[in-house]
Amino acid sequence: TQIIYNPILNLLVGLYNIIPGHDVGLVIILVTIAIRVILAPFMHKSLKSQKAMSALQPKIAELKEIHKDDSAAHAKATMELYKEHNVSPFSSCLPLLIQLPILIALYQVFSKALNGNLTGLYSWVYNPGVLNPKFLGLIDLAKPNIAFAIIAGAAQFWQSWIVMNWQKNANTSSATTDMTTKALNAQMLYILPLFSVFIAWKLPAGLPLYWIVTTLFAVGQQYYI
């Protein structure tokens, strides 16, 4: 993650130096938006593929019924369906694979930079010595914050709820949604947000602030699509 860590650290400190008031919370929001803009083409492709997958669920259910006694034929027919509609079942993993190293790097940046460790700055980036970790002069982003953790979980719930609505609109009959899919949907809708709250509660508040902004950005992309 060092390849990602150094650019994020320098972007964070560079913006901190020029933002009026030197509010690190506003800087984190700007950094988040910059990261999302850079990743937007990948995320857009993934979200379009997810929506296409939702639209195909009735046909996938039909194939499962037709080939219920022949798993090989079912797998072949399903892959042909994906190919026909130019959809990849693995595309939904792309955002996670991209964001995971970024989250790790951000955790390291916030843990170190907000506590005075600015090692890794480029020669042309002014070193302010320390960063004021207060957001709007009130919230210490270097320490855990339960309110931000809850908001991050709520944002995750909202995003999952939108995905659930996509699937409901695609599947006009409840019969097209099997028990496994329903269980996965329930986990995505309820368990993931709770897990997000639990994890964010233990982390520097700068990280849940990033997660809140990046989730809201993703919701905007979903509504656009």
Side-chain angles (χ1 to χ4, degrees):
T1 58
Q2 200 67 26
I3 297 175
I4 304 174
Y5 174 90
N6 284 340
I8 291 178
L9 171 65
N10 283 271
L11 178 60
L12 181 79
V13 176
L15 288 172
Y16 179 85
N17 289 333
I18 63 175
I19 289 289
H22 306 294
D23 191 313
V24 75
L26 296 179
V27 172
I28 289 174
I29 292 172
L30 291 175
V31 169
T32 305
I33 293 173
I35 292 173
R36 290 298 308 202
V37 169
I38 293 171
L39 298 180
F42 303 100
M43 299 300 182
H44 188 78
K45 182 178 180 180
S46 176
L47 289 171
K48 286 186 70 176
S49 184
Q50 287 179 39
K51 186 166 178 61
M53 282 287 293
S54 296
L56 288 178
Q57 288 306 309
K59 293 183 179 181
I60 293 172
E62 289 176 10
L63 292 176
K64 186 175 182 179
E65 182 64 25
I66 293 171
H67 301 289
K68 60 183 178 181
D69 297 322
D70 190 341
S71 58
H74 171 246
K76 182 180 179 181
T78 302
M79 293 308 296
E80 288 176 352
L81 180 67
Y82 291 152
K83 185 176 181 180
E84 177 186 350
H85 292 271
N86 196 27
V87 171
S88 171
F90 306 108
S91 62
S92 59
C93 300
L94 182 61
L96 179 61
L97 293 175
I98 293 175
Q99 289 199 77
L100 187 57
I102 293 175
L103 283 171
I104 295 172
L106 283 168
Y107 170 73
Q108 294 175 340
V109 168
F110 297 150
S111 297
K112 294 178 181 179
L114 296 182
N115 285 289
N117 184 350
L118 299 180
T119 303
L121 287 180
Y122 301 142
S123 58
W124 61 85
V125 176
Y126 171 71
N127 187 339
V130 294
L131 304 181
N132 182 357
K134 293 295 182 69
F135 178 33
L136 302 177
L138 300 171
I139 303 169
D140 190 343
L141 297 180
K143 298 178 181 179
N145 184 284
I146 182 59
F148 274 25
I150 292 173
I151 295 171
Q156 180 72 51
F157 177 86
W158 187 22
Q159 184 183 22
S160 300
W161 180 80
I162 293 171
V163 174
M164 289 276 289
N165 275 349
W166 278 1
Q167 294 174 347
K168 285 180 181 179
N169 291 335
N171 302 326
T172 56
S173 171
S174 60
T176 62
T177 306
D178 59 25
M179 294 302 295
T180 301
T181 302
K182 288 180 179 179
L184 290 173
N185 288 343
Q187 290 180 14
M188 184 175 68
L189 186 60
Y190 299 108
I191 297 178
L192 282 181
L194 289 174
F195 184 72
S196 297
V197 172
F198 177 77
I199 295 297
W201 194 349
K202 309 292 184 179
L203 299 174
L207 202 61
L209 176 59
Y210 165 83
W211 195 248
I212 291 166
V213 178
T214 198
T215 302
L216 293 178
F217 197 103
V219 168
Q221 279 187 298
Q222 288 174 315
Y223 273 115
Y224 174 77
I225 291 173

